[in-house]
Amino acid sequence: MSNPTNTQVLDVLTRVLKGSVLQPGDENYEKGNNSYFSAFENEVKPSYIVKPGSVSQVQELVRALHPHLVSGGCQIAVRGGGHTPFAGSANIQDGVTVDMRDLKGISLNQDKSIVEIHVGETWETVYRELEKHGLTVPGARSGRIGVAGFVLGGGLSMFSPRTGFSCDSVVEFEVVLASGELAVANAEENSDLWAALKGGLNNFGILTSFKMKTFKSADIWGGLTFYMSENMFDTFSQLIRSACDFVYNEEDRDAYGIFSIGYGFGHQAVTCVMYHTQGKVNPPSLQRFTSLDNQIKEMCTLRTSTHYGFTEELSNFSSNGKRQYWTSITIHPDVSLMEAFHKKWQDMISAIENAQGLTFSFGFHPITKAMLESSAAAGNNSMAIPTSDGPLFVVLINPGWDAAEDDERVFAAVDDFVQGLRKLASEKGMLHRYIFPNYAHGTDDTIAGYGEDSVLKLKKTSAKYDPEGIFQRGVPGGFKLAGRKG
C-alpha cells in the first residue's frame, strides 16, 4: 500500500474536511477504526480517516485526491456499515479511509412508492422509519447491516422469491464518479451504470444514495426453530431433505427459509429460519419444517411480528469485533451432496473445536427459480444468473473465534474444508459459477463468477465512467474487475 503521510495529501484532506481529519492516537480515530464487524478490519490501520458530511464534500474530496490516486501516491477505502469481514474490504493500511456513515437520510416520494436511502443508514433505521408509514423494502434479513455494500453486492431478502435480489428493487443510484461528477443512474439515464451497480460492488464510484421501490408492510409469521438429538447427522439430514423438497417443489412465493447447522460452546444445533411474508400462521408450505422431529420447543420463536421485528431478532445473533469471517460457494440442491458436506463439516469441527471461543455456522440460503424469475422481470443486473439455473443454494461458511493465536489453523482448516466442498460439488456436476458477493471472502474470484459476458460488460462500463481505473487501483478493497487479489 502507498503511504500518504506526505503533507500534500494531508493538506488536501484538511482543506476539504475543514480540519476534521482523524489520525492515529486521536480518540475518535480509535473509536471509529474499532467499530467494524470483524477484528480483522479493526486491525487495519489507515493513516487518516475522513467523514464527509455531504455529497458535495464527497465530490470535492474525490476531485482533490484525484492526482494522488492516479499517480499511486495515495489509495483509499470506502466504508459504509463496515460489515464485510475480511481485512482491507472497507479499510486500508496506511491509506485514507472514507467513512460514509454521516451521510444519513430516508425520504419518501409524494405517493410513497419510492424511498430514497442515503448510505449512512442501516437497514434497522430504514425499516423503523418505513414502518411508521405502513411500508417496507426488500433489504437485509439482519437489521444491523449497512445499506450500501449490501445492495452493491446484490443482497438477499426474505421477500426475494417475489422481488429477486435486493438490488433488483433499486430504481436509481446516485454515485460520485472518479472525476468527482455526481451521476444519476436509472433505467433511462446512464442505464449501463444502473445495471452494473446492481451487484457490481465498489468498482464504479462512491455511492451516496439510492432509491428503492416500497410496498405495504404486512404482518409476517415466522422465526427460528432449533433441532437437537443424539444423532446430529440424521437431524440435519431430515432438514436438508425438507429444504431440497422446498426449493424444488414449493410454489408459495411468500414462504422463505434458511437452513443451517451450528457449533458453539461445545454443542451443536440444527436451525431453520422461516417466514411467511403474508402472515399465514404455520402455512402448508412451511409445515415440512414445523413438523420435523427433535425440536427444542423452549428455543422456538415462531410468532406473528413485523419485518422490523424479525430483522432485529437476527441482528441479535452477531456482534462486532470478533475474529470472524465468511466464505461461500453456490451449488445445485442435492441431498446426497449436502450430506457429504455435513460429514466434512463434522470432521473439520472435530479438528478445531478447541480454538478459543469457537462458533461456526454452516448454512444453505435458497435462490429459487421464482426468485430468479422475479429478478429477470426487474431488469438487468451484474450477476446474470439465468432463470434456468435455479434453484440454487448459497452455502455460507461462517467461523468465529477469540484468540489471534488460533488464526493460522482456523484459516487453514476452513480453506481445506471449502476446497473439499468445491471438489465434491464439481465432481457431481453440482457446483455453480456464482459466488454470492455479500458472503464471499477476499481471495474468492467473485466477479468471474458472474460469467464472461457480464464481466465484459462490467469492464466496458468501468472504462466509460472511470477511464483512468481509479476504482480498480486507487480503491483496492473488495472485488475488482481484473479478478482475485491472491
Side-chain angles (χ1 to χ4, degrees), residues 109-396:
N109 67 348
Q110 188 169 4
D111 67 4
K112 300 185 179 181
S113 63
I114 302 292
V115 60
E116 182 175 13
I117 303 167
H118 289 260
V119 295
E121 301 291 345
T122 64
W123 290 107
E124 174 187 7
T125 60
V126 172
Y127 298 148
R128 192 166 55 215
E129 176 62 27
L130 291 179
E131 201 167 271
K132 298 175 185 177
H133 304 274
L135 300 168
T136 196
V137 288
R141 297 161 296 181
S142 172
R144 67 194 304 269
I145 295 172
V147 298
F150 177 83
V151 295
L152 291 174
L156 291 173
S157 161
M158 67 175 70
F159 300 100
S160 283
R162 285 207 177 273
T163 60
F165 290 97
S166 296
C167 68
D168 292 321
S169 291
V170 176
V171 297
E172 185 171 287
F173 294 98
E174 183 183 83
V175 59
V176 175
L177 303 177
S179 64
E181 175 190 356
L182 185 65
V184 170
N186 53 46
E188 287 77 38
E189 185 178 0
N190 299 318
S191 59
D192 51 353
L193 181 59
W194 175 62
L197 288 166
K198 291 191 286 182
L201 303 160
N202 65 349
N203 284 296
F204 305 98
I206 299 178
L207 186 67
T208 56
S209 69
F210 57 93
K211 295 178 180 179
M212 289 186 86
K213 298 175 184 176
T214 65
F215 51 84
K216 184 179 178 182
S217 178
D219 281 345
I220 295 170
W221 182 85
L224 285 77
T225 299
F226 296 86
Y227 314 84
M228 290 181 70
S229 72
E230 292 184 1
N231 189 331
M232 291 303 289
F233 181 81
D234 285 350
T235 300
F236 191 54
S237 291
Q238 69 173 356
L239 179 64
I240 61 178
R241 284 193 294 269
S242 296
C244 287
D245 176 62
F246 177 77
V247 296
Y248 276 115
N249 299 314
E250 186 51 60
E251 296 182 356
D252 184 352
R253 294 193 175 202
D254 299 310
Y256 185 80
I258 305 169
F259 319 104
S260 62
I261 185 168
Y263 172 89
F265 311 105
H267 300 283
Q268 295 185 16
V270 171
T271 308
C272 179
V273 181
M274 68 186 94
Y275 305 110
H276 196 276
T277 57
Q278 288 300 307
K280 292 182 180 178
V281 176
N282 195 22
S285 53
L286 296 176
Q287 287 175 13
R288 51 170 64 85
F289 308 117
T290 59
S291 63
L292 291 178
D293 296 332
N294 301 312
Q295 293 183 36
I296 311 171
K297 298 295 185 182
E298 298 81 6
M299 296 176 67
C300 174
T301 69
L302 296 175
R303 67 202 186 280
T304 298
S305 185
T306 64
H307 188 201
Y308 170 70
F310 282 119
T311 59
E312 283 302 282
E313 179 177 53
L314 290 192
S315 290
N316 292 331
F317 282 87
S318 64
S319 59
N320 287 353
K322 191 177 177 73
R323 309 191 78 74
Q324 57 194 342
Y325 75 103
W326 42 65
T327 186
S328 182
I329 65 171
T330 302
I331 61 169
H332 297 277
D334 180 81
V335 172
S336 63
L337 175 65
M338 294 161 73
E339 287 179 337
F341 279 12
H342 180 212
K343 289 178 180 177
K344 278 191 168 293
W345 183 78
Q346 292 288 357
D347 290 342
M348 180 194 55
I349 291 296
S350 296
I352 62 171
E353 62 185 348
N354 62 345
Q356 185 177 328
L358 182 72
T359 60
F360 207 125
S361 178
F362 181 45
F364 298 84
H365 299 240
I367 296 179
T368 61
K369 190 177 289 287
M371 174 184 162
L372 293 175
E373 290 171 351
S374 298
S375 179
N380 295 330
N381 64 39
S382 294
M383 285 81 74
I385 304 174
T387 300
S388 58
D389 284 9
L392 301 166
F393 274 130
V394 169
V395 183
L396 172 62

Side-chain angles (χ1 to χ4, degrees), residues 34-60:
N34 288 319
S35 63
Y36 286 88
F37 177 65
S38 82
F40 306 114
E41 278 283 71
N42 290 342
E43 291 166 1
V44 174
K45 304 300 180 185
S47 293
Y48 310 110
I49 299 174
V50 295
K51 301 182 71 173
S54 66
V55 173
S56 61
Q57 273 195 335
V58 178
Q59 291 181 268
E60 189 178 354

Side-chain angles (χ1 to χ4, degrees), residues 24-35:
D26 294 344
E27 180 180 353
N28 287 332
Y29 173 100
E30 302 302 333
K31 181 179 178 181
N33 204 58
N34 288 319
S35 63

